[in-house]
Amino acid sequence: MSCDHNCDKCGEKCDTPQTENPHELSRIKRVIAVVSGKGGVGKSSVTALLASAMRRKGYNCAVLDADITGASIPKMFGVSGGLDGDGTGIFPARSKTGISLVSANLLLEHETDPVVWRGPIIAGMVKQFWTDVIWGDVDYMFIDCPPGTGDVPLTVFQSIKIDGIITVTTPQELVSMIVEKAVNMANMMKIPMLGIVENMSYALCPHCGERINVFGNGDAVKAVTQKFGLPLLAEIPYDAELVKAADTGTVDTLGVRYTDAAADIIESGLPVVRQ
Ligand code: ADP
């Protein structure tokens, strides 16, 4: 029960997987994995919004884009081109507001090149993003995990010391069933689930401002939060400005505050610094 995933200081014999050490020049205080049961629910957008909210609070933030085949983080932050290295490691790219970013898309010759690799190669790349990147001083690292509970999320959970997981979902009934899978996976891996973000919860009528529950009224998500005793960290509306910001690479300077309350919880609710 008191496991903090720091196996170096613990003599207990247990089935908690041994995690990899980050690069010796990386000092990463807290790591939060952002997951979803399936693709397209806004996991990358929420990752970007959370990192931006923590950056606005003045923290050194980083995003490790582990969604190798569906990498969208660089585009959302308006970052392109390659990554530099010096023989001892790779340096992350920087967003306009100073968020450190590493993504497979920054290593491809063209951002539209498909990543047609087998699972173990993809999982190996994610591990290298953790071990071979010189992240420097990072207060909060957010990991944009690939959707589902497959090979790569498993590698993330087993090889990186993660302090907490945030699950992103949309309000449909079916998605809630998939959320339960993500929650159960986190429990199996003994990583704390920090809460759930409901994305595209509703839309606001541009004429009268009425709230329209495009994907249902969110009862299914509330039922999951109650079942597992998890906080609903944010209810983000369908927002055309968010799409525009993601498409134009301005997500970290967008004026929305949808994830500020979640950022407050992250700031106050995670275990103390481990390194
Ligand atoms: P995922 O990482 O789960 O695949 P993305 O964050 O890439 O999802 O989002 C998928 C698409 O939905 C993107 O075009 C994104 O701009 C859009 N999107 C995400 N969240 C919202 C939202 N709250 N309102 C409007 N569009 C959104």
Side-chain angles (χ1 to χ4, degrees):
M1 289 300 282
S2 60
C3 175
D4 65 355
H5 293 262
N6 192 342
C7 303
D8 301 341
K9 293 183 187 158
C10 176
E12 296 287 323
K13 280 200 166 56
C14 74
D15 54 2
T16 301
Q18 285 279 341
T19 51
E20 305 269 341
N21 287 327
H23 191 283
E24 58 182 5
L25 296 177
S26 299
R27 286 163 304 275
I28 303 161
K29 291 177 183 164
R30 295 171 178 88
V31 181
I32 295 159
V34 184
V35 308
S36 65
K38 66 183 191 106
V41 298
K43 170 183 54 61
S44 303
S45 307
V46 170
T47 307
L49 288 175
L50 283 170
S52 306
M54 292 311 283
R55 181 72 190 133
R56 275 197 302 274
K57 283 175 173 284
Y59 291 108
N60 288 332
C61 293
V63 179
L64 187 162
D65 187 358
D67 195 353
I68 305 289
T69 55
S72 50
I73 288 293
K75 187 165 172 59
M76 286 183 179
F77 283 98
V79 172
S80 57
L83 293 174
D84 292 329
D86 70 353
T88 63
I90 303 161
F91 297 107
R94 288 278 177 150
S95 79
K96 288 179 288 300
T97 56
I99 299 171
S100 300
L101 310 171
V102 167
S103 168
N105 255 26
L106 296 171
L107 299 169
L108 300 174
E109 197 177 344
H110 309 107
E111 64 170 19
T112 51
D113 288 346
V115 176
V116 198
W117 300 334
R118 299 269 182 206
I121 307 279
I122 295 176
M125 180 173 235
V126 171
K127 224 187 260 186
Q128 280 185 291
F129 283 175
W130 174 247
T131 57
D132 296 1
V133 171
I134 301 172
W135 288 100
D137 287 306
V138 175
D139 296 313
Y140 291 96
M141 171 182 278
F142 294 88
I143 302 184
D144 185 7
C145 285
T149 52
D151 209 19
V152 183
L154 195 60
T155 299
V156 171
F157 293 161
Q158 288 188 327
S159 51
I160 299 177
K161 278 179 192 162
I162 294 172
D163 296 292
I165 295 175
I166 291 175
T167 300
V168 180
T169 184
T170 50
Q172 302 97 319
E173 190 83 31
L174 175 66
V175 173
S176 303
M177 181 196 76
I178 303 170
V179 168
E180 287 207 35
K181 286 186 198 287
V183 174
N184 287 330
M185 185 175 183
N187 287 341
M188 279 168 66
M189 307 304 294
K190 300 195 178 87
I191 303 172
M193 180 64 80
L194 301 178
I196 294 179
V197 171
E198 188 182 271
N199 190 30
M200 304 192 216
S201 295
Y202 57 93
L204 289 175
C205 171
H207 304 294
C208 66
E210 190 195 341
R211 182 172 163 148
I212 306 161
N213 295 324
V214 186
F215 288 131
N217 57 12
D219 284 351
V221 174
K222 286 192 184 80
V224 180
T225 57
Q226 277 162 15
K227 181 171 175 182
F228 291 97
L230 293 169
L232 184 57
L233 295 172
E235 289 175 283
I236 304 177
Y238 182 89
D239 183 346
E241 288 301 312
L242 187 52
V243 184
K244 205 162 113 191
D247 287 346
T248 55
T250 54
V251 82
D252 55 342
T253 49
L254 183 68
V256 298
R257 298 289 182 263
Y258 301 132
T259 53
D260 279 12
D264 290 343
I265 292 173
I266 290 169
E267 190 178 34
S268 63
L270 285 179
V272 257
V273 185
R274 297 159 306 159
Q275 291 175 36

